[in-house]
């Protein structure tokens, strides 16, 4: 996992959400494939017009570790393998992802259920891009 912010080339990235996210007003786990990295962000951030899009929190995962992250996201373990974001699961079903650099993304139970349903159906595999 890298703590580097995405470069200017990421502006043109295609952000993806799970097909299970529905039309809940932009509350989703969003991912984008960017060469040798996968970017993860929370769509709720942009719903607040006072938030600066350039400062949107993101977690960067090396593409060669992406499948490992997806497996950790589907599992019940809290501690992801070394070098991947920690997955903090709350009793409510909400989830926080925490990177080594301190970046944190928080998702509601419904957002995480939609994301993991998409993982289960192969929607976030690198080969489907």
């Amino acid at each position: 996992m890298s703590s580097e912010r995405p470069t200017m080339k990421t502006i043109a990235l295609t952000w993806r959400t799970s097909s299970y996210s529905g039309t809940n007003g932009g509350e989703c786990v969003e991912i984008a494939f960017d060469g040798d990295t996968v970017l993860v962000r929370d769509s709720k951030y942009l719903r607040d017009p006072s938030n600066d899009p350039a400062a949107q929190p993101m977690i960067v995962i090396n593409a060669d570790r992406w499948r490992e992250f997806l497996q950790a996201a589907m599992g019940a373990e809290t501690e992801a393998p070394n070098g991947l974001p920690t997955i903090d699961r709350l009793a409510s079903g909400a989830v926080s992802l925490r990177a080594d650099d301190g970046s944190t993304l928080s998702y509601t139970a419904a957002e995480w259920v939609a994301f993991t349903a998409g993982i289960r159906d192969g929607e976030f595999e690198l080969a489907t891009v």
Side-chain angles (χ1 to χ4, degrees), residues 16-125:
R16 306 174 75 194
T17 62
S18 170
S19 64
Y20 294 90
S21 295
T23 57
N24 61 2
E27 297 180 0
C28 310
V29 178
E30 289 186 299
I31 64 114
F33 299 108
D34 187 18
D36 61 351
T37 61
V38 181
L39 308 175
V40 182
R41 69 182 187 184
D42 183 353
S43 64
K44 291 187 300 292
Y45 180 85
L46 295 177
R47 291 183 68 198
D48 182 344
S50 67
N51 286 339
D52 177 7
Q56 182 170 19
M58 288 183 216
I59 292 179
V60 181
I61 301 172
N62 289 327
D64 61 350
R65 307 269 327 264
W66 180 241
R67 182 176 294 269
E68 201 175 349
F69 170 75
L70 294 178
Q71 290 171 345
M74 292 295 293
E77 298 287 325
T78 296
E79 291 296 322
N82 190 28
L84 291 175
T86 298
I87 302 168
D88 295 321
R89 291 174 170 83
L90 305 176
S92 66
V95 170
S96 290
L97 298 181
R98 188 172 17 93
D100 291 339
D101 67 359
S103 299
T104 301
L105 301 173
S106 297
Y107 299 102
T108 66
E111 291 170 323
W112 198 253
V113 166
F115 179 59
T116 57
I119 294 171
R120 188 175 42 257
D121 283 357
E123 294 179 357
F124 299 111
E125 294 293 325

